[in-house]
Amino acid sequence: MRYDSINDLLVTYEETAPEELSDVEYYIFMFLYEVYEETPYQDIPDAAFMFIELDGWQGMSFRCGVWQYYENGSFEKGKLERAADYLRADGEEKWAEIFSSGIHDYADEKYQVETDTFPYPEEWLNDSDIIDDWIYENEIYISEWKRRLILSHKDEILKLAEDNKGELNYDHF
């Protein structure tokens, strides 16, 4: 049943209007997250890694500000750079530049102090505001890019569904 459910999800994803893609992306994210939650980021295949990262990047921006995505990601050395490098390799120079502008050393011990405010340099937070604005202005483009990424790796995603028998229920697709 898992394979059929994920296949139905991917068909729905392919047919969904651009402004409604986030409704389906949640389920793709949850499936990929379930499969790879215990896997070191270096070992996650590119398509799954990029979808998980960019969906998290976009979602964090909308929920609470993208700086928290960068703060969390900075504790895994090389993770954010991997995403930026992939974007560059895919010809997304502007996007890679925007994405990279938020990569700072949030994990530095001097910032790991208990305070009522965030001790990060104001410049970093300003960079995050610019990134948040860019994400908002490019929401549909980002979602369409993620859709192309997933659909161009459909066979790999279906193989994951076949190999990983999880608890998530996708039967409503």
Side-chain angles (χ1 to χ4, degrees), residues 53-66 135 146:
E53 285 306 303
L54 294 179
D55 198 63
W57 181 70
Q58 187 178 27
M60 192 76 76
S61 174
F62 291 147
R63 285 188 300 279
C64 54
V66 77
I135 291 171
K146 290 186 298 186

Side-chain angles (χ1 to χ4, degrees), residues 71 105-114 118-121 124:
E71 180 185 49
D105 191 9
Y106 286 98
D108 188 309
E109 286 184 21
K110 69 182 171 187
Y111 302 121
Q112 305 308 308
V113 295
E114 292 289 327
F118 302 104
Y120 305 121
W124 294 6

Side-chain angles (χ1 to χ4, degrees), residues 76-131:
E76 294 183 74
K77 295 293 181 207
K79 180 180 181 181
L80 301 175
E81 292 81 357
R82 178 182 175 192
D85 290 345
Y86 187 96
L87 289 169
R88 272 189 207 88
D90 195 54
E92 295 289 347
E93 287 297 326
K94 177 64 176 172
W95 190 352
E97 179 183 325
I98 290 289
F99 184 90
S100 295
S101 70
I103 301 174
H104 302 294
D105 191 9
Y106 286 98
D108 188 309
E109 286 184 21
K110 69 182 171 187
Y111 302 121
Q112 305 308 308
V113 295
E114 292 289 327
T115 65
D116 291 337
T117 60
F118 302 104
Y120 305 121
E122 190 67 29
E123 175 186 325
W124 294 6
L125 299 176
N126 290 339
D127 289 345
S128 293
D129 289 341
I130 292 167
I131 297 166

Side-chain angles (χ1 to χ4, degrees), residues 16-23 139-140 143-144 147:
T16 299
E19 61 277 359
E20 297 173 4
L21 287 172
S22 63
D23 296 340
E139 176 182 5
I140 290 176
S143 288
E144 288 179 326
R147 173 166 56 186

